[in-house]
Amino acid sequence: MKRIIILFMMVGFLIVFPGILQGQASIDEIVLDERKIQDPLKSWTVTFTQPINKGTLKKQNFFIKDENKRQVKAALSLSNDERKVTITPESPYKKGVTYYLSVKGNVKSDQNEFLTEHTILPFKIGEASKGSKDANGSAGSGDKKPTSPSENKSSSDTNSESSSPSKAAGKNLVKVQTKKHSHFDEITVQVSDYVTKVKAGSHEFEYKGNNVFVLYQPGLKSGEKVTVKGYSMSGKVLETKEVVIP
Amino acid sequence: MMNKLKGIGVALILLLSLLIPALDQTVSAASDPSIDQLNPAAYDQNVPIDTDIRIYFNSEVRSISPQYIQLFVKTNGTYYDFPIKTIKKDGKAIHILPERSMEFNKEYMVRVNGPAVELHNGTYNQHLSYTFQTNYIDFYELMVVNEGRLVNMLTQYAPRQIKAFAPKRYINDISVIHKKTGALTGEQTSFNGFTNIDINTKSEDVANVHVDIMKNDKVLQKGYASKVTGAKASKNQFTFDIGFSKIPDFYDVKVTVLNSAQQTIDSKIIKFAAEEGKAISSFKESYKYKTAGNGYTFHELLSKESLFASLLSESLMQDIKVQVEDR
């Protein structure tokens, strides 16, 4: 009778506090755009904004599953600064199969702060998308959107550290600066490797080398907003930024 | 009555004594051919290279004996003949037109020797020799580095007297074809990447084209492009090509155009980023200029914003040169 009461109490407890078994299951799940890769043994590196708690470096938190939810055997490794986790498959990916790289919200920072979301990156072997860094078949550095045990409990860092142009919002126009001169304004833009042309309206920036573009523009007024666009070599807009003339 | 007449006579004599020397001077001035003005003025320092060389006389020019008029350019301390194409008469002035345009940072000397100009009032037959210099002020320095100098300049000269010269441009287009390392098809054996760069230039003045492949400000590979000759050569333009192997997929291409004296006359840096998913990427950039080789007064630039914007976007500011015209 006592056992029945205890069992009943446990079931009741679980009904009242269901999250106790779910852990972080109730947090948001973010599914990123699908990537196309060429390297069948491509490894993925996830970069965090701060060192992770080594105890959370587990295959339950970092894993790759195929479309039939079968987990792909993969090895995990942590960088010396404990901010990068690399997931390397032990067998090649199959053509035509979609795989899902998952980083669970159970991952904690060394300050014991959880991620606020699960992140899933679908990918498959195929003709590389423009956003895939490793489309040429090189392996090694990952291009998965990094998730991060952030400094604040409520947010994870969703800024991509990838050098993939279309996925790396905020990383193609790395820095935009303006400077006022007596007869014109100077706008300097530091870009990623992928940006080969920068424009502000119909005005094209002059390339100075070493990923720096400059435009000297007369007639701009203080407080005026200028939209700067970075283009890929094929003419695709990779990023747009607005600057205010000082 | 007699006294009155005497008074008138004295007054007349006095008046004549005053008038006669004046008349005499006028006649003398009209009869002695002389120079009224030189343009550019003697010893001017920042004479624009497109300045008209004119000598203004005090009487209408009837004819010119060009053999007595010479123009020299000073190079390494010695004056060399700077050939004159023609000398025109223009009212009271003669207009000296050199065969080619003057160069920046040079000293020129105009010499008139012997019965050079037949004027309405006689022959100008005096020795005249004066120099002027075509030194320039760096536009970049005026506009960016030392804006105070521009302020000072504008206190001395009106915007119409200050002239900015855009450099001539010689590169018409640059094409890059880049093959990544790897096989083109699954069956092929992987082989190294290679890159071909074509540079089309104007034929005028161009002797050599040098190409640097750069990454992070470091030169990875470099070389002189070779001129395409024979059937593939184009009219009025040169095509140069060069090949590289084993260069990364992201790099800068610096193209430098040199004249026969190995001086840089044009240069361009373009950025190349191999396209994702493509074994072979190609890229062509063509250039058209509105302002290249032209001079504009500051008044024109300040009153026409689009012209100013074109000048700034088409030329490296460091290559724009500023000179002033004296009035």
Side-chain angles (χ1 to χ4, degrees), chain B residues 15-59:
Chain B
L15 190 65
L16 283 173
S17 68
L18 284 170
L19 281 175
I20 286 167
L23 285 171
D24 188 45
Q25 269 184 1
T26 309
V27 170
S28 160
S31 62
D32 280 347
S34 65
I35 289 170
D36 269 357
Q37 197 190 329
L38 298 172
N39 183 54
Y43 313 116
D44 261 6
Q45 300 273 310
N46 301 111
V47 174
I49 53 164
D50 63 349
T51 286
D52 283 343
I53 304 171
R54 287 173 187 267
I55 301 173
Y56 293 88
F57 294 92
N58 63 345
S59 180

Coordinates of all heavy atoms in Angstrom, one line a residue, chain B residues 15-59:
Chain B
L15 N 49.6 125.7 -73.2 CA 48.8 124.5 -73.5 C 49.6 123.6 -74.5 O 49.6 122.4 -74.3 CB 47.5 125.0 -74.1 CG 46.4 123.9 -74.3 CD1 46.0 123.3 -73.0 CD2 45.2 124.4 -75.1
L16 N 50.2 124.3 -75.5 CA 51.0 123.5 -76.5 C 52.2 122.9 -75.8 O 52.5 121.7 -76.1 CB 51.4 124.4 -77.6 CG 50.3 124.8 -78.7 CD1 50.9 125.9 -79.7 CD2 49.9 123.6 -79.4
S17 N 52.8 123.6 -74.9 CA 54.0 123.0 -74.3 C 53.6 121.8 -73.4 O 54.4 120.9 -73.2 CB 54.7 124.1 -73.4 OG 53.9 124.4 -72.3
L18 N 52.3 121.9 -73.0 CA 51.9 120.7 -72.2 C 51.5 119.5 -73.1 O 51.8 118.4 -72.8 CB 50.6 121.1 -71.3 CG 50.9 121.9 -70.1 CD1 49.6 122.4 -69.5 CD2 51.7 121.0 -69.0
L19 N 50.8 119.9 -74.2 CA 50.3 118.8 -75.1 C 51.3 118.2 -76.0 O 51.3 117.0 -76.2 CB 49.2 119.5 -76.0 CG 47.8 119.6 -75.4 CD1 46.9 120.4 -76.4 CD2 47.2 118.3 -75.1
I20 N 52.3 119.0 -76.4 CA 53.2 118.4 -77.4 C 54.0 117.2 -76.8 O 54.1 116.2 -77.5 CB 54.1 119.5 -78.0 CG1 53.3 120.3 -79.0 CG2 55.4 118.9 -78.7 CD1 53.9 121.6 -79.5
P21 N 54.6 117.4 -75.6 CA 55.3 116.2 -75.1 C 54.4 115.0 -74.9 O 54.8 113.8 -75.2 CB 55.8 116.6 -73.7 CG 55.7 118.1 -73.7 CD 54.6 118.5 -74.7
A22 N 53.1 115.2 -74.5 CA 52.2 114.1 -74.4 C 52.0 113.4 -75.7 O 52.0 112.2 -75.8 CB 50.9 114.6 -73.8
L23 N 51.8 114.2 -76.8 CA 51.6 113.7 -78.1 C 52.8 112.9 -78.6 O 52.7 111.8 -79.1 CB 51.3 114.8 -79.1 CG 49.8 115.4 -79.0 CD1 49.7 116.6 -79.9 CD2 48.8 114.3 -79.5
D24 N 53.9 113.5 -78.2 CA 55.2 112.9 -78.6 C 55.4 111.6 -78.0 O 55.8 110.6 -78.6 CB 56.3 113.9 -78.2 CG 57.7 113.4 -78.7 OD1 57.7 113.0 -79.9 OD2 58.6 113.3 -77.9
Q25 N 54.9 111.5 -76.7 CA 55.1 110.2 -75.9 C 54.2 109.2 -76.6 O 54.6 108.0 -76.7 CB 54.6 110.4 -74.5 CG 55.8 110.8 -73.6 CD 55.4 110.9 -72.2 OE1 54.3 110.7 -71.8 NE2 56.4 111.2 -71.3
T26 N 52.9 109.6 -76.9 CA 52.0 108.6 -77.5 C 52.5 108.1 -78.8 O 52.5 106.9 -79.1 CB 50.6 109.4 -77.8 OG1 50.2 110.0 -76.7 CG2 49.6 108.4 -78.3
V27 N 53.1 109.0 -79.6 CA 53.7 108.5 -80.9 C 54.8 107.6 -80.6 O 54.9 106.5 -81.2 CB 54.1 109.8 -81.7 CG1 54.9 109.4 -82.9 CG2 52.9 110.6 -82.1
S28 N 55.6 108.0 -79.6 CA 56.8 107.1 -79.3 C 56.3 105.7 -78.8 O 56.9 104.7 -79.3 CB 57.6 107.8 -78.2 OG 58.4 106.9 -77.6
A29 N 55.3 105.7 -77.9 CA 54.8 104.4 -77.4 C 54.3 103.6 -78.6 O 54.5 102.4 -78.6 CB 53.7 104.6 -76.4
A30 N 53.6 104.2 -79.5 CA 53.0 103.5 -80.6 C 54.1 103.0 -81.6 O 54.0 102.0 -82.2 CB 52.0 104.3 -81.4
S31 N 55.2 103.7 -81.6 CA 56.2 103.3 -82.6 C 57.2 102.3 -82.0 O 58.0 101.7 -82.8 CB 56.9 104.6 -83.1 OG 57.5 105.2 -82.0
D32 N 57.2 102.2 -80.7 CA 58.2 101.2 -80.1 C 57.5 99.9 -79.8 O 56.7 99.9 -78.8 CB 58.8 101.8 -78.9 CG 59.9 102.7 -79.2 OD1 60.3 102.8 -80.3 OD2 60.3 103.4 -78.3
P33 N 57.7 98.9 -80.6 CA 57.1 97.6 -80.2 C 57.6 97.1 -78.9 O 58.8 97.1 -78.6 CB 57.5 96.6 -81.3 CG 58.1 97.5 -82.4 CD 58.6 98.7 -81.8
S34 N 56.6 96.7 -78.1 CA 57.0 96.2 -76.7 C 56.0 95.2 -76.3 O 54.9 95.0 -76.9 CB 57.1 97.4 -75.7 OG 55.8 97.9 -75.5
I35 N 56.4 94.5 -75.2 CA 55.5 93.5 -74.6 C 54.6 94.1 -73.5 O 55.1 94.7 -72.6 CB 56.3 92.3 -74.1 CG1 56.9 91.6 -75.3 CG2 55.5 91.3 -73.3 CD1 58.0 90.5 -75.0
D36 N 53.3 93.8 -73.6 CA 52.4 94.2 -72.6 C 52.3 93.2 -71.4 O 52.2 93.6 -70.3 CB 51.0 94.5 -73.2 CG 50.9 95.9 -73.7 OD1 51.8 96.7 -73.5 OD2 49.8 96.2 -74.2
Q37 N 52.2 92.0 -71.8 CA 51.9 90.9 -70.8 C 52.4 89.6 -71.2 O 52.4 89.2 -72.4 CB 50.4 90.9 -70.5 CG 50.0 90.2 -69.2 CD 48.5 90.0 -69.2 OE1 47.7 90.7 -69.7 NE2 48.1 88.9 -68.5
L38 N 52.8 88.8 -70.2 CA 53.2 87.4 -70.5 C 52.3 86.5 -69.8 O 51.9 86.7 -68.6 CB 54.6 87.1 -69.9 CG 55.8 87.9 -70.5 CD1 57.1 87.7 -69.7 CD2 56.0 87.6 -72.0
N39 N 51.9 85.4 -70.5 CA 51.0 84.4 -69.8 C 51.6 83.0 -70.2 O 51.6 82.7 -71.4 CB 49.6 84.6 -70.3 CG 48.7 83.6 -69.6 OD1 48.6 83.5 -68.4 ND2 48.0 82.8 -70.4
P40 N 52.0 82.2 -69.3 CA 52.1 82.5 -67.8 C 53.1 83.6 -67.5 O 54.1 83.8 -68.3 CB 52.5 81.2 -67.2 CG 53.1 80.4 -68.3 CD 52.5 80.9 -69.6
A41 N 53.0 84.2 -66.4 CA 53.9 85.3 -66.0 C 55.3 84.7 -65.7 O 55.4 83.5 -65.4 CB 53.4 86.0 -64.8
A42 N 56.3 85.5 -65.9 CA 57.7 85.0 -65.7 C 57.8 84.5 -64.2 O 57.3 85.2 -63.3 CB 58.7 86.1 -66.0
Y43 N 58.4 83.4 -64.1 CA 58.8 82.8 -62.8 C 57.5 82.3 -62.0 O 57.6 82.1 -60.8 CB 59.6 83.8 -61.9 CG 60.7 84.4 -62.7 CD1 60.8 85.8 -63.0 CD2 61.7 83.6 -63.2 CE1 61.8 86.3 -63.7 CE2 62.7 84.1 -64.0 CZ 62.8 85.5 -64.3 OH 63.8 86.0 -65.0
D44 N 56.4 82.2 -62.7 CA 55.3 81.5 -62.0 C 55.6 80.1 -61.6 O 56.3 79.4 -62.3 CB 54.0 81.5 -62.9 CG 53.1 82.7 -62.6 OD1 53.4 83.5 -61.8 OD2 52.0 82.7 -63.2
Q45 N 55.1 79.6 -60.5 CA 55.5 78.3 -59.9 C 54.6 77.2 -60.2 O 55.0 76.1 -60.4 CB 55.7 78.5 -58.4 CG 56.7 79.5 -57.9 CD 58.0 79.0 -57.8 OE1 58.3 77.9 -57.2 NE2 59.0 79.6 -58.4
N46 N 53.3 77.5 -60.1 CA 52.3 76.4 -60.2 C 51.5 76.5 -61.5 O 50.2 76.5 -61.4 CB 51.4 76.4 -59.0 CG 52.2 76.2 -57.7 OD1 52.4 77.1 -56.9 ND2 52.8 75.0 -57.5
V47 N 52.1 76.7 -62.6 CA 51.4 77.0 -63.8 C 50.7 75.7 -64.3 O 51.3 74.6 -64.4 CB 52.4 77.4 -64.9 CG1 51.7 77.5 -66.3 CG2 53.1 78.7 -64.5
P48 N 49.4 75.8 -64.6 CA 48.7 74.6 -65.1 C 49.3 74.0 -66.4 O 49.7 74.8 -67.2 CB 47.3 75.1 -65.3 CG 47.1 76.3 -64.4 CD 48.5 76.9 -64.4
I49 N 49.4 72.7 -66.5 CA 50.0 72.2 -67.7 C 49.3 72.4 -69.0 O 49.8 72.3 -70.1 CB 50.3 70.6 -67.5 CG1 48.9 69.9 -67.2 CG2 51.3 70.3 -66.5 CD1 49.0 68.4 -67.4
D50 N 48.0 72.8 -68.9 CA 47.2 73.1 -70.1 C 47.2 74.6 -70.4 O 46.4 75.0 -71.2 CB 45.8 72.5 -70.0 CG 45.0 73.1 -68.9 OD1 45.5 73.8 -68.1 OD2 43.8 72.8 -68.9
T51 N 48.0 75.3 -69.7 CA 48.0 76.8 -69.9 C 48.4 77.1 -71.3 O 49.3 76.5 -71.9 CB 49.0 77.4 -68.9 OG1 48.4 77.4 -67.6 CG2 49.3 78.8 -69.3
D52 N 47.7 78.2 -71.8 CA 48.1 78.7 -73.1 C 49.4 79.6 -72.9 O 49.3 80.5 -72.0 CB 47.0 79.6 -73.7 CG 45.9 78.8 -74.3 OD1 46.1 77.6 -74.5 OD2 44.8 79.3 -74.4
I53 N 50.4 79.4 -73.7 CA 51.5 80.2 -73.6 C 51.3 81.4 -74.6 O 51.2 81.2 -75.8 CB 52.8 79.5 -74.0 CG1 53.0 78.3 -73.0 CG2 54.1 80.4 -73.8 CD1 54.1 77.3 -73.4
R54 N 51.1 82.6 -74.1 CA 50.8 83.7 -74.9 C 51.7 84.9 -74.5 O 52.0 85.1 -73.4 CB 49.4 84.2 -74.7 CG 48.4 83.2 -75.4 CD 47.0 83.7 -75.0 NE 46.0 82.7 -75.5 CZ 45.3 82.8 -76.6 NH1 45.6 83.8 -77.4 NH2 44.5 81.8 -77.0
I55 N 52.1 85.6 -75.6 CA 52.8 86.9 -75.3 C 52.0 88.0 -75.9 O 51.6 88.0 -77.1 CB 54.2 86.8 -76.0 CG1 55.0 85.7 -75.4 CG2 55.0 88.2 -75.8 CD1 56.4 85.4 -76.1
Y56 N 51.6 89.0 -75.1 CA 50.8 90.1 -75.6 C 51.7 91.3 -75.9 O 52.5 91.7 -75.0 CB 49.8 90.5 -74.5 CG 48.8 89.4 -74.2 CD1 49.0 88.4 -73.3 CD2 47.5 89.4 -74.9 CE1 48.1 87.4 -73.1 CE2 46.6 88.4 -74.7 CZ 46.9 87.4 -73.8 OH 45.9 86.4 -73.6
F57 N 51.5 91.9 -77.1 CA 52.3 93.0 -77.5 C 51.4 94.3 -77.4 O 50.2 94.2 -77.1 CB 52.8 92.8 -78.9 CG 53.8 91.7 -79.0 CD1 53.4 90.4 -79.3 CD2 55.2 91.9 -78.8 CE1 54.3 89.4 -79.4 CE2 56.1 90.9 -78.8 CZ 55.7 89.6 -79.2
N58 N 52.1 95.4 -77.6 CA 51.4 96.7 -77.5 C 50.7 97.1 -78.8 O 50.2 98.2 -79.0 CB 52.3 97.8 -77.0 CG 53.4 98.1 -77.9 OD1 53.7 97.2 -78.8 ND2 54.1 99.2 -77.8
S59 N 50.8 96.2 -79.8 CA 50.2 96.5 -81.1 C 49.8 95.2 -81.8 O 50.3 94.1 -81.4 CB 51.2 97.3 -81.9 OG 50.7 97.6 -83.2

